[in-house]
Amino acid sequence: MNSSDCIFCRIVNNELPCFKVYEDSDFIAFLDIRPANRGHCLIVPKKHYENLLDFDEELLNKMMPVVKKVASAVKKATKADAFNILLNNGKEAGQEVNHVHIHLIPRFKGDQVNISWGRREMSNKELEETTSSIKRELE
Ligand code: 5GP
Ligand code: ZN
């Protein structure tokens, strides 16, 4: 995908409007158009990278401080009790926009937002095998 086909690139290039809350030389943050809750923001690098595994390491290092800064402001502004940060990586994980981004979702006591997954039982053997295979890839 090139940037003219990408919604977030078009937002970055001011070709599409957004409710922008933050901008610096590398990132913008704007309100999600279909928010899970009031104040739901997306933190987006200005340069197009499809997902976390493509993403530039230097920018990655710069991203979390931006998330923290925006999170602090959003939490105060919305009087949120808490927040989730979330990155959907790949279609099967729910990624709809193929331009890497982090969701910042303010949470309020008693809200009905559902960010959860089922818990499954796993045997020690399966846990051991999974650990070994991941460690092999990390070597
Ligand atoms: P994903 O599922 O890729 O992690 O999240 C994409 C998010 O982008 C969704 O929550 C969706 O509501 C939001 N979104 C999609 N198109 C637009 C748009 O044109 N403007 C804004 N502000 N958000 C968008
Ligand atoms: Zn893009």
Side-chain angles (χ1 to χ4, degrees):
M1 174 179 289
N2 78 41
S3 63
S4 63
D5 301 323
C6 171
I7 287 174
F8 288 176
C9 284
R10 295 186 66 198
I11 289 175
V12 167
N13 295 330
N14 288 317
E15 293 164 15
L16 288 175
C18 73
F19 291 94
K20 194 185 293 181
V21 299
Y22 175 83
E23 178 167 19
D24 65 24
S25 54
D26 297 313
F27 299 96
I28 62 171
F30 51 86
L31 296 183
D32 193 304
I33 206 167
R34 285 182 284 124
N37 242 348
R38 192 161 52 88
H40 179 166
C41 288
L42 303 171
I43 293 91
V44 179
K46 288 185 168 176
K47 246 181 115 181
H48 183 92
Y49 296 93
E50 191 162 324
N51 63 41
L52 181 70
L53 300 184
D54 299 333
F55 195 31
D56 177 77
E57 292 274 321
E58 203 179 311
L59 283 174
L60 183 58
N61 280 330
K62 289 182 179 173
M63 196 165 187
M64 205 41 101
V66 172
V67 172
K68 183 179 174 188
K69 186 186 285 200
V70 176
S72 170
V74 168
K75 185 169 184 287
K76 284 184 201 149
T78 60
K79 300 192 169 41
D81 300 304
F83 54 85
N84 294 101
I85 59 174
L86 192 68
L87 191 159
N88 296 327
N89 200 82
K91 185 160 150 266
E92 296 75 7
Q95 185 175 8
E96 288 177 3
V97 176
N98 291 323
H99 180 135
V100 69
H101 55 279
I102 290 181
H103 292 259
L104 165 64
I105 303 176
R107 301 300 303 273
F108 304 89
K109 191 164 187 249
D111 72 22
Q112 300 293 311
V113 176
N114 182 14
I115 299 172
S116 64
W117 50 89
R119 304 285 178 177
R120 66 178 72 184
E121 294 302 317
M122 196 165 272
S123 67
N124 275 347
K125 183 167 178 285
E126 283 174 294
L127 291 168
E128 254 167 46
E129 283 169 5
T130 307
T131 304
S132 306
S133 60
I134 294 169
K135 285 171 80 175
R136 259 199 309 281
E137 293 298 335
L138 284 167
E139 274 164 18

